[in-house]
Structure formats: structure tokens, C-alpha cells
Amino acid sequence: MAGKFEIYEDKAGEYRFRLKAGNGEIILSSEGYVQKAGAENGVSSVKTNAPNDARYERTETKSGGHRFNLKASNGQVIGASESYTSASGRDNGIESVKRNAPEARVEDLT
């Protein structure tokens, strides 16, 4: 099963998107947007930037976890990962975004 984007409205009334892998696991989440069009533009930006390894910022948390951010060409973060227990887990998450995002369908849950 291929990955998919879900656009949804959070409890604060903001629009967000998440990218799920084929197994249903969330592999990338967005910030909140005031308008749904912002979330839709974010999805388009992820699809465009996901294949480019240079767009991924790999970080380590204070507690020793590993995360990544996907950035647009202007340096703005367009999606963030969950925390992984290992660098290899984080790197597998990045590869999953690269594989899933470009062709992922979009499901509007609003």
C-alpha cells in the first residue's frame, strides 16, 4: 500500500497535514496553518522537496533521540518527524518520506 497525506483540522481550529507510510505509521507532520490552503501548499512543497537529501536537517534531542526536519528551498521547515531511538531509525524515516511523498495521494479529513 502506498503512502498518503491527510489534511485535518486540529482542536485549535488550525489545518495540518501528516504523511503516513503504507503501513499507516506517521512519518512526517506539519505545523498548524490558519487556512486550509496553507496545508495544501505544504503538501505540494513536501512532494517537491522530499526526494532531495540536502533538504533534510538531521538533529538529536536533549534526551538522545533522533529527529529530522524537511525544509523548503528557502530554509523554512515544512515537516517534522517523530523522535526515533536511533540514528539509523531516523535515516530509515527519511528514506520512507523520500519513497512515499512524491506520489502519495491526499485525503481531506476536514
Side-chain angles (χ1 to χ4, degrees), residues 19-38:
L19 175 60
K20 289 186 171 183
N23 64 3
E25 183 178 331
I26 297 170
I27 51 177
L28 193 72
S29 300
S30 76
E31 65 181 7
Y33 296 90
V34 176
Q35 297 181 338
K36 188 160 103 174

Side-chain angles (χ1 to χ4, degrees), residues 23-77:
N23 64 3
E25 183 178 331
I26 297 170
I27 51 177
L28 193 72
S29 300
S30 76
E31 65 181 7
Y33 296 90
V34 176
Q35 297 181 338
K36 188 160 103 174
E40 292 167 340
N41 289 339
V43 167
S44 295
S45 186
V46 169
K47 287 181 172 226
T48 299
N49 289 286
N52 185 344
D53 191 69
R55 299 275 190 255
Y56 292 89
E57 174 186 55
R58 294 154 173 91
T59 61
E60 190 171 328
T61 66
K62 292 179 183 176
S63 61
H66 300 270
R67 301 177 56 96
F68 66 86
N69 292 319
L70 176 60
K71 294 185 169 186
S73 58
N74 64 4
Q76 182 177 354
V77 174

Side-chain angles (χ1 to χ4, degrees), residues 7-16 30-33 110:
I7 295 176
Y8 64 99
E9 191 173 349
D10 67 16
K11 292 178 183 175
E14 293 188 319
Y15 295 92
R16 296 176 180 269
S30 76
E31 65 181 7
Y33 296 90
T110 59

